[in-house]
Amino acid sequence: MSQIPEAATAVVFDKCNGPIRVDKSHKVVQPNELAPGEVLVRVEYTGVCHTDLHAHKGDWPVPPKQPLVGGHEGAGRVVAIGNGTTTTLKEGDAVGIKWLADSCLNCENCREGQEATCPLAETSGYSKDGSFQQYAVSFARHLTPIPEGLPLEIAAPILCAGVTVYKAIKQSNTKPGDFVVISGAGGGLGHLAVQYATAIGLRVVGIDTGADKKKLLASYGADIFVDFKEHSGDGALIEEVKRVCGGVGPHAAIITSAGGAAYNDALEYLRPHGTLVAVGLPPDTYIKANVFFTVFKALRIVGSYVGNRQDAVEALDFAARGLVKPMIVVEPLANLASVYERMEKGQVAGRIVLKCFD
């Protein structure tokens, strides 16, 4: 058994919007304290997601547990398994900690592979302490094996951002050769959505702004770039998207942007039988769908939450085969407060991944 310290480093806040403190003497659960079904993971890298910022701010309808160790994009290795746990995992295995920490696996939602909407679901870094720490307790049945050879710093953001957009594409009712618009394509979620969509064989139209984003998205395989600032007139963006998608609009639109206008624009430019997939969570935003044209064009509006256990395995496989690679910057775990500040100012490109050990 690996040598497990009594205490280690964790980043904690005691109340929402309160100070974020680096606790270097945070208690580590010992192997004999693990309950059946629990696993102790030595977290090596952890991504930072906007959901983590929402948890700190406490601006969702249901507040997180407090005090809280946030984080839900953790990649590390199993160092202990609770007595009585039935699992194929063993010490030393590389595993991923995801947003969905646990579910009952017995309700209708779980049986249909929709574990995220299980009424008993637990979430990492929200209802349970998460991955912003060196040692985290997780549930064996919801840990995701990380493919051999995939660097853990690359795997970390796939465990939420990657799985989320991969699931959204699966929900989009598209097939290879179809047009898909990705709004917010140059962001943390969007740049991964472009790569998954390209790998699957979709024709990708990325909506964002700036020469740097255009160059970035071209390198990831986007077929067409639409700069929303260059088409900001009344209805201009809608007409441009229709034009570049065969004159009739895309088969699907996946909205990863933080701007609420993107949702209503999509309902205007989608072709008949098109699908709007809602992913991004801009605050106080409502989709205003004209009922007549929604029916007349047979449009679908789909909310896409995180993926299930199988989606996570598939999403990591794309990364292991080199088809998807997140744009990351690695920083120390202690930088979390600074990362949040930059996130709020829109100064983060791609994904920040925190290194938990020096």
Side-chain angles (χ1 to χ4, degrees):
M1 182 177 294
S2 303
Q3 184 64 37
I4 297 168
E6 296 287 336
T9 299
V11 183
V12 188
F13 64 82
D14 297 296
K15 62 179 182 178
C16 291
N17 264 329
I20 296 172
R21 55 187 176 85
V22 178
D23 181 0
K24 295 186 177 182
S25 58
H26 191 75
K27 176 179 167 29
V28 174
V29 174
Q30 296 300 296
N32 62 357
E33 298 174 312
L34 293 170
E38 291 183 339
V39 172
L40 185 64
V41 178
R42 184 182 189 271
V43 184
E44 297 186 24
Y45 293 93
T46 177
V48 185
C49 175
H50 270 275
T51 296
D52 301 315
L53 179 57
H54 286 300
H56 176 242
K57 293 175 71 68
D59 57 8
W60 281 3
V62 178
K65 74 175 284 287
Q66 297 166 64
L68 178 70
V69 176
H72 60 276
E73 292 182 349
R77 295 189 179 276
V78 173
V79 291
I81 299 172
N83 288 332
T85 299
T86 301
T87 181
T88 57
L89 295 174
K90 60 185 183 300
E91 290 182 27
D93 283 355
V95 292
I97 297 169
K98 308 184 301 297
W99 170 249
L100 187 62
D102 197 24
S103 68
C104 75
L105 300 186
N106 290 317
C107 69
E108 179 181 10
N109 291 336
C110 286
R111 292 195 303 270
E112 292 183 347
Q114 305 291 349
E115 302 101 310
T117 48
C118 170
L120 300 178
E122 298 282 3
T123 49
S124 301
Y126 208 89
S127 69
K128 296 286 186 183
D129 284 342
S131 56
F132 293 155
Q133 56 183 326
Q134 292 178 323
Y135 290 87
V137 175
S138 299
F139 296 98
R141 60 191 181 182
H142 275 280
L143 284 170
T144 300
I146 294 176
E148 184 177 351
L150 180 62
L152 297 186
E153 64 271 27
I154 297 298
I158 297 294
L159 293 162
C160 179
V163 174
T164 296
V165 296
Y166 176 65
K167 177 70 169 185
I169 293 168
K170 292 177 76 171
Q171 299 268 62
S172 68
N173 198 34
T174 51
K175 62 185 183 301
D178 284 352
F179 283 104
V180 62
V181 165
I182 297 171
S183 183
L189 290 170
H191 86 288
L192 288 169
V194 168
Q195 294 178 68
Y196 280 108
T198 299
I200 291 167
L202 300 174
R203 288 188 281 181
V204 178
V205 178
I207 298 179
D208 216 305
T209 187
D212 289 344
K213 294 288 180 70
K214 181 177 182 179
K215 182 178 179 181
L216 172 70
L217 296 177
S219 74
Y220 286 143
D223 297 273
I224 300 164
F225 180 79
V226 175
D227 191 318
F228 64 81
K229 288 188 177 179
E230 294 180 3
H231 302 278
S232 59
D234 186 27
L237 179 66
I238 293 164
E239 291 306 313
E240 177 64 8
V241 172
K242 285 182 177 180
R243 184 188 72 80
V244 300
C245 296
V248 291
H251 299 82
I254 296 172
I255 311 301
T256 66
S257 69
Y263 282 100
N264 294 309
D265 286 345
L267 290 173
E268 297 291 329
Y269 61 61
L270 281 168
R271 68 175 62 195
H273 304 281
T275 302
L276 167 61
V277 186
V279 179
L281 296 172
D284 300 319
T285 296
Y286 294 84
I287 297 174
K288 297 179 181 179
N290 181 293
V291 174
F292 178 84
F293 286 107
T294 300
V295 173
F296 193 74
K297 292 174 66 178
L299 299 178
R300 299 170 69 240
I301 300 174
V302 178
S304 186
Y305 193 19
V306 295
N308 62 24
R309 292 172 297 159
Q310 180 60 24
D311 294 325
V313 170
E314 294 172 10
L316 284 169
D317 179 64
F318 276 85
R321 289 185 286 135
L323 299 173
V324 171
K325 185 175 181 179
M327 181 175 67
I328 65 170
V329 175
V330 177
E331 299 187 18
L333 179 61
N335 279 19
L336 180 61
S338 168
V339 173
Y340 282 168
E341 290 175 7
R342 283 174 273 156
M343 276 184 163
E344 290 200 272
K345 294 176 182 176
Q347 297 174 345
V348 173
R351 304 291 282 191
I352 301 291
V353 175
L354 303 179
K355 187 176 181 180
C356 297
F357 289 86
D358 296 330

